[in-house]
Amino acid sequence: MPSSTVENYLKNILIVSLETKSSVVSMGKIAQGLSVTPGTATTMIKNMAADGWISYFPRKGVRLTRKGRKFAMSMLRRHRLLETFLVETLGLDWSEIHVEAEELEHAISEKVLEKLDEFLGRPRTDPHGHPIPTKGGHIYRANSKTLFLCKAGMKVRIDSIIDQESDFLRFARSKKLIPGNEVTILSHEKEADAIILQIGSDNPFSLGSRSSEKILVSL
Amino acid sequence: MPSSTVENYLKNILIVSLETKSSVVSMGKIAQGLSVTPGTATTMIKNMAADGWISYFPRKGVRLTRKGRKFAMSMLRRHRLLETFLVETLGLDWSEIHVEAEELEHAISEKVLEKLDEFLGRPRTDPHGHPIPTKGGHIYRANSKTLFLCKAGMKVRIDSIIDQESDFLRFARSKKLIPGNEVTILSHEKEADAIILQIGSDNPFSLGSRSSEKILVSL
DNA sequence: ATTCAAATTTTGATTAGTCAAAGTATATGT
DNA sequence: ACATATACTTTGACTAATCAAAATTTGAAT
């Protein structure tokens, strides 16, 4: 069994490789994602490679092995099921669940997780709209695009919010930028780096690229 | 904030001092309770004393400081609320919850615990019948005796089961030795080291001192 | 081709928690 | 009062994870 530190490295590598759609993840991304110095990441990664969690390509980066990917998926499953539980059952706020789940995911056993999944009615997505991997380690890939890529006139549905920062999540909710909601793009001016959009009959508002890239949509 | 190791030491010291009703706990008990070598306990205890969790009396033992006791109580609260949740909400078996709670108690925050307490309807006791400390660190002291001290003819109610071993708990349940149930002592022969008892109209059965000391009763 | 900045690796040191084994104190029985 | 078993402490060593700072590699720009 991996230590919680190894669990964190694995989950992080998986998330980055899903986000960037490339199976090889650079050392820089890893060090940054785990908030450790580059040297720490290097030593850790070498140990993990020795234990068969990843393949290590010096000065290139890292790729999850089959075993590593499977475990990383199970971490993601834990995390997202726990987030769902914290919101749905205990009524915690959308913006505070990430940190809580980050701790609990290392402590919950497969057995308890299975019961929790059952209790929650086997949800497909977490409160941020992210798909929850199955027990077998399979993840549903929505073909979402970021809101930033949408053209004026389009009407799309929000799939998920990528950012886990409480501040952004609070802002998102206040604007009704919530999974499931429909958004109309009123205009998208590249030069101004601004998308103007409207949800329902609320007042239109604008988002820059930084923010609109954090929102995945489809349709 | 203490590390999970320190949390474990604190909880253990509290439990032993509640069980033995003496505020000073010996190094031997600590080492045994935490399954570490005596030397490890000594070094750990010295660090904890330096951090103000306990008072250390060399070659005598250890006493929780006010701060240590408060924290230890909060650990006990976490543990017992989690056990309750695992049985009541998720439907895990009585005999398997101890180990699970032991992991989760280090990961759950005060905020989540508070929500959980509310969700469970602020239970007073855990599934083993042990009182759950309040948020303020106060614990309800039942004036229970061990079943071993009961005389023939007495009719008592089971308050709690002390042992956390799955094997014993499975046995206890099979005999209906469960908190709340009424027990009639048919005979208690000191020399034979055997109590014969009956629950409801079930077949009478006997317990030795080892087992009957693990069951707390009152009335 | 050469230089330089950025990314990565190496090196040496630190901390928390642990063990084994050797050393020391204490209490208990004769 | 003394011997000795038992409980406890000390010592030296080890592992996992980390950092700071120095050294190295790579790739891009001049």
Side-chain angles (χ1 to χ4, degrees):
Chain A
M1 280 295 93
S3 67
S4 352
T5 308
V6 169
E7 291 184 342
N8 279 333
Y9 276 73
L10 287 173
K11 190 185 68 168
N12 226 274
I13 293 166
L14 175 62
I15 288 174
V16 173
S17 86
L18 288 177
E19 265 174 13
T20 62
K21 283 161 191 189
S22 89
S23 62
V24 173
V25 175
S26 72
M27 299 308 281
K29 283 257 166 67
I30 294 171
Q32 199 194 327
L34 288 146
S35 308
V36 295
T37 59
T40 302
T42 301
T43 27
M44 199 62 206
I45 284 303
K46 285 206 227 166
N47 294 332
M48 289 174 63
D51 291 343
W53 297 114
I54 51 181
S55 314
Y56 170 45
F57 311 104
R59 300 210 116 95
K60 290 272 149 48
V62 138
R63 186 192 349 245
L64 291 170
T65 60
R66 183 181 297 264
K67 162 180 158 184
R69 190 182 164 84
K70 185 159 177 233
F71 200 95
M73 277 292 180
S74 100
M75 289 310 297
L76 208 53
R77 174 170 160 83
R78 281 154 203 246
H79 184 85
R80 293 182 175 172
L81 273 174
L82 280 164
E83 284 194 340
T84 309
F85 167 71
L86 292 172
V87 167
E88 300 285 311
T89 310
L90 296 190
L92 265 85
D93 196 281
W94 212 37
S95 62
E96 43 191 19
I97 57 179
H98 179 67
V99 197
E100 303 284 357
E102 200 105 80
E103 292 298 318
L104 289 164
E105 67 195 14
H106 303 293
I108 193 166
S109 73
E110 277 306 322
K111 179 175 269 166
V112 174
L113 196 76
E114 179 49 30
K115 293 280 191 181
L116 192 65
D117 186 29
E118 191 188 326
F119 174 76
L120 292 170
R122 315 228 177 256
R124 300 284 188 76
T125 59
D126 75 8
H128 304 297
H130 300 302
I132 297 174
T134 65
K135 229 164 72 165
H138 189 72
I139 196 170
Y140 158 73
R141 297 281 314 114
N143 61 340
S144 314
K145 309 276 170 200
T146 89
L147 185 55
F148 180 64
L149 296 174
C150 298
K151 313 269 182 239
M154 287 175 75
K155 197 163 189 175
V156 295
R157 190 168 38 76
I158 297 179
D159 287 333
S160 58
I161 312 293
I162 294 173
D163 201 303
Q164 302 281 16
E165 282 298 316
S166 332
D167 288 348
F168 184 73
L169 290 171
R170 267 194 290 275
F171 162 76
R173 187 185 39 205
S174 76
K175 293 297 191 184
K176 299 198 185 155
L177 290 166
I178 295 172
N181 279 0
E182 297 255 315
V183 181
T184 311
I185 287 90
L186 300 185
S187 81
H188 183 175
E189 300 178 51
K190 274 233 166 111
E191 301 315 313
D193 184 43
I195 298 184
I196 299 177
L197 40 85
Q198 190 176 29
I199 297 180
S201 53
D202 290 10
N203 287 334
F205 60 97
S206 64
L207 289 180
S209 56
R210 280 281 165 66
S211 303
S212 56
E213 274 168 349
K214 293 174 178 173
I215 294 160
L216 296 187
V217 298
S218 62
L219 237 167
Chain B
M1 283 293 93
S3 66
S4 350
T5 309
V6 169
E7 290 184 342
N8 279 333
Y9 276 73
L10 288 173
K11 190 185 67 168
N12 226 276
I13 294 165
L14 174 64
I15 288 174
V16 173
S17 87
L18 288 175
E19 266 175 11
T20 62
K21 282 164 190 186
S22 89
S23 61
V24 172
V25 175
S26 72
M27 298 307 282
K29 284 258 167 67
I30 293 171
Q32 201 195 325
L34 288 146
S35 309
V36 293
T37 60
T40 301
T42 301
T43 26
M44 199 63 207
I45 284 301
K46 285 208 227 165
N47 294 332
M48 287 173 63
D51 292 342
W53 297 112
I54 51 180
S55 313
Y56 171 46
F57 310 105
R59 302 209 116 94
K60 290 272 148 47
V62 138
R63 187 194 344 251
L64 291 170
T65 59
R66 180 180 300 264
K67 162 181 157 184
R69 189 182 164 82
K70 188 162 174 229
F71 200 94
M73 277 292 180
S74 98
M75 289 310 297
L76 208 52
R77 175 170 160 82
R78 280 154 203 247
H79 185 85
R80 292 180 175 172
L81 274 174
L82 280 164
E83 284 193 340
T84 309
F85 166 72
L86 291 173
V87 167
E88 300 285 312
T89 309
L90 297 190
L92 265 86
D93 196 280
W94 213 34
S95 62
E96 43 189 19
I97 57 179
H98 179 67
V99 197
E100 303 284 357
E102 201 105 77
E103 292 297 319
L104 288 165
E105 67 195 14
H106 303 294
I108 193 167
S109 73
E110 277 306 321
K111 178 173 271 166
V112 174
L113 196 76
E114 178 49 31
K115 293 282 190 177
L116 193 64
D117 187 29
E118 190 188 325
F119 173 76
L120 293 169
R122 315 225 178 260
R124 298 284 188 75
T125 60
D126 75 8
H128 305 296
H130 301 302
I132 296 174
T134 64
K135 229 164 74 166
H138 189 72
I139 195 169
Y140 157 73
R141 296 279 316 111
N143 61 340
S144 314
K145 309 275 171 204
T146 89
L147 184 56
F148 181 65
L149 298 174
C150 298
K151 312 268 181 239
M154 286 176 73
K155 196 163 187 174
V156 295
R157 190 168 37 77
I158 298 178
D159 286 334
S160 58
I161 313 293
I162 292 174
D163 200 302
Q164 302 280 12
E165 282 298 314
S166 333
D167 288 349
F168 184 73
L169 290 171
R170 267 194 289 273
F171 163 76
R173 187 186 39 204
S174 75
K175 293 297 190 187
K176 298 201 187 152
L177 290 167
I178 294 171
N181 279 1
E182 299 255 314
V183 180
T184 310
I185 286 90
L186 300 183
S187 82
H188 183 174
E189 300 177 53
K190 273 235 166 109
E191 302 316 312
D193 184 42
I195 298 184
I196 298 177
L197 40 85
Q198 190 177 32
I199 298 180
S201 53
D202 289 11
N203 288 335
F205 61 97
S206 64
L207 288 180
S209 55
R210 280 281 164 69
S211 302
S212 57
E213 275 169 348
K214 293 175 179 173
I215 293 160
L216 296 187
V217 299
S218 62
L219 236 167

